[in-house]
Amino acid sequence: MEQKDFITNYNFKFKKKYGQNFLIDENILNNIVNSVDIDSETLVIEIGCGAGALTKKLVLKTKKVVGYEIDKTLKPILDTISDAKIIFDDFLNRDINKDIENINYKKMFIVSNLPYYITTPIISKIINDKIDVNKIVIMVQKEVGDRLSAKVNSKDYGSLTVFINYYFKVKKLFFVSKNVFLPKPNVDSVVIMLEKKENKYDLINPNLFFKIVRDSFLHKRKTLKNNLKSYNFEIISNVLSEYGFNDNVRAEQIPMEVFIKIANSLSS
Ligand code: SAM
């Protein structure tokens, strides 16, 4: 049965507040699942199972699927999928490492069509909770995908870009039209892959680094010097000139490595 008819049969009431736009296109679902090499020893975490369109595809590849769904009214639909452990709770409130502690696996992926209203909190949680994930394949709003994968000196390059690129190599996989969802959202989407960077940069004080990055982009039109008034700018200025930048530089012109050097210089 087609996913669209399957959902209609359950007379399910969509909840906008949970970002419920369900995928109904077989090709897109297959492309998402096939973009990572899932085998029977792979643990896959899915955030927001919805009516299980993606979950059904994932359990064909591995029996080690752990899904999260905040909306308990989806339980009758999701109960039709055997072989997945679905936790009906808010992903953001869970202790993920505890939820998976009894599962043996060789590699772990997160594969999800994200609830867009909490994209950044979800990615931050994955990082902060130190979830041992190898690759993350997520569908996000197109504009967010543009920001995550932006190159330095482009209009989309911002603090989110620097933050994510510190932890992950970001790859845009493919564009997804708003027409393949039920109900149809107002925005287009993109599927991206985040691959954990193994050799992270030497940061003396990660919190200071993230604070500097946030502060640097606070007012996009202002120069770095204006945004970073509360820091010792003499030290920052020395680092900038080392990389050929003068004091009128704006944050969007600065590659992540330079932000790291600035943070480390201010830490030592
Ligand atoms: N995976 C399904 C699909 O592709 O058709 C549904 C994707 S839909 C964009 C996002 C899903 O995330 C919804 O089912 C929504 O109820 C669920 N969700 C929203 N907030 C959540 C949260 N905090 N924790 C877990 N699930 C959540």
Side-chain angles (χ1 to χ4, degrees), residues 155-203:
K155 72 169 175 30
D156 293 316
Y157 184 77
S159 55
L160 184 66
T161 322
V162 181
F163 175 61
I164 297 299
N165 282 268
Y166 172 72
Y167 291 99
F168 301 105
K169 207 167 100 196
V170 183
K171 232 191 274 174
K172 242 192 235 180
L173 298 186
F174 51 90
F175 169 85
V176 181
S177 147
K178 55 182 97 156
N179 296 320
V180 300
F181 295 90
L182 188 72
K184 181 171 156 178
N186 296 323
V187 294
D188 286 317
S189 301
V190 67
V191 175
I192 59 165
M193 184 187 289
L194 308 179
E195 259 178 282
K196 206 162 82 181
K197 283 186 181 169
E198 292 305 338
N199 300 319
K200 284 215 279 298
Y201 318 84
D202 284 329
L203 253 185

Side-chain angles (χ1 to χ4, degrees), residues 18-23 46 48-50 69-70 90-91 113 117:
Y18 288 146
Q20 289 178 343
N21 300 96
F22 295 169
L23 257 178
E46 186 191 358
C49 299
E69 177 49 62
I70 198 169
D90 183 341
F91 174 79
N113 171 14
Y117 72 107

Side-chain angles (χ1 to χ4, degrees), residues 34-171:
N34 291 331
S35 59
V36 270
D37 45 334
I38 302 170
D39 61 28
S40 60
E41 291 306 310
T42 310
L43 165 61
V44 180
I45 294 180
E46 186 191 358
I47 303 152
C49 299
L54 206 52
T55 327
K56 278 187 237 175
K57 302 269 178 200
L58 293 170
V59 294
L60 296 177
K61 302 251 180 191
T62 174
K63 305 293 170 225
K64 300 173 196 272
V65 175
V66 176
Y68 293 87
E69 177 49 62
I70 198 169
D71 183 357
K72 294 186 179 61
T73 70
L74 284 161
K75 194 166 185 315
I77 302 183
L78 289 170
D79 277 350
T80 63
I81 305 173
S82 44
D83 296 327
K85 170 181 166 179
I86 296 173
I87 297 171
F88 288 90
D89 200 357
D90 183 341
F91 174 79
L92 295 176
N93 291 339
R94 299 295 301 189
D95 181 342
I96 313 302
N97 286 316
K98 193 137 193 273
D99 289 338
I100 59 171
E101 69 186 352
N102 293 323
I103 304 175
N104 293 318
Y105 59 88
K106 291 222 170 98
K107 50 191 173 180
M108 187 209 296
F109 298 148
I110 292 176
V111 180
S112 164
N113 171 14
L114 286 187
Y116 293 172
Y117 72 107
I118 44 171
T119 300
T120 310
I122 287 175
I123 300 176
S124 302
K125 179 178 174 65
I126 295 167
I127 294 169
N128 296 334
D129 287 9
K130 300 194 167 51
I131 299 169
D132 174 36
V133 61
N134 300 83
K135 285 180 192 171
I136 303 174
V137 174
I138 43 176
M139 175 133 68
V140 297
Q141 183 174 333
K142 185 183 166 292
E143 288 70 21
V144 175
D146 290 343
R147 281 163 61 204
L148 295 175
S149 58
K151 298 277 174 270
V152 68
N153 274 318
S154 70
K155 72 169 175 30
D156 293 316
Y157 184 77
S159 55
L160 184 66
T161 322
V162 181
F163 175 61
I164 297 299
N165 282 268
Y166 172 72
Y167 291 99
F168 301 105
K169 207 167 100 196
V170 183
K171 232 191 274 174

